[in-house]
């Protein structure tokens, strides 16, 4: 795991635990085991870290959309007009498992909810 990935991982955990507004860049640096100025070599501020977390999540979502060949994917074969009930259930199960098992997806969703409520 790269330093940037460690920063994102720890930041997401802290955002989930404390909420975005209660986390400081120094908290993230400490959780990673570095000094705050060193963290600024990787990200310019807390919002930049959060934006990078969202980018990672977006990439993961694009991958699952492509894997499932959902509308908007590069190789879509899925259309709502021709989808069978079995295919729809398969897609729903895959998306449910993604949100349940993917640690980034779960943390991003929780943080998005927290930021909306703030």
């Amino acid at each position: 795991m790269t330093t940037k990935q460690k920063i994102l991982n720890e930041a997401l955990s802290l955002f989930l635990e404390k909420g975005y507004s209660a986390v400081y860049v120094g908290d993230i640096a400490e959780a990673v085991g570095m000094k705050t100025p060193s963290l600024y070599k990787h990200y310019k501020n807390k919002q930049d870290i959060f934006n990078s977390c969202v980018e990672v999540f977006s990439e993961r979502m694009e991958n699952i959309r492509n894997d499932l060949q959902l509308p908007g994917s590069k190789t879509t074969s899925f259309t709502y007009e021709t989808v069978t009930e079995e295919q729809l259930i398969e897609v729903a199960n895959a998306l449910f498992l993604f949100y349940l098992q993917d640690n980034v997806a779960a943390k991003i969703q929780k943080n998005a909810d927290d930021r909306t409520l703030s």
Side-chain angles (χ1 to χ4, degrees):
M1 182 180 293
T2 69
T3 300
K4 287 187 93 160
Q5 290 169 327
K6 288 177 187 175
I7 292 168
L8 294 182
N9 188 48
E10 292 299 332
L12 273 174
S13 294
L14 287 168
F15 294 153
L16 180 61
E17 179 185 328
K18 298 179 176 184
Y20 178 84
S21 59
V23 174
Y24 298 93
V25 173
D27 298 331
I28 299 167
E30 183 179 327
V32 174
M34 63 176 24
K35 297 198 182 292
T36 303
S38 297
L39 188 141
Y40 285 116
K41 293 177 183 176
H42 301 280
Y43 297 98
K44 59 183 175 183
N45 54 36
K46 181 172 72 168
Q47 186 63 51
D48 188 31
I49 295 169
F50 188 81
N51 291 347
S52 294
C53 292
V54 171
E55 285 177 29
V56 168
F57 172 71
S58 295
E59 289 170 8
R60 289 179 185 218
M61 282 302 302
E62 183 175 342
N63 289 340
I64 194 161
R65 188 172 44 247
N66 289 335
D67 289 348
L68 296 173
Q69 298 184 344
L70 295 175
S73 69
K74 295 175 183 170
T75 59
T76 188
S77 64
F78 186 102
T79 63
Y80 292 108
E81 294 83 18
T82 61
V83 68
T84 66
E85 185 177 342
E86 292 79 22
Q87 290 170 315
L88 193 56
I89 290 170
E90 182 180 325
V91 167
N93 282 333
L95 289 172
F96 176 77
L97 289 174
F98 171 75
Y99 278 104
L100 185 65
Q101 297 172 343
D102 187 278
N103 65 335
V104 173
K107 289 177 182 178
I108 287 286
Q109 182 59 47
K110 172 67 173 143
N111 281 298
D113 292 345
D114 287 348
R115 289 185 63 155
T116 302
L117 296 174
S118 300

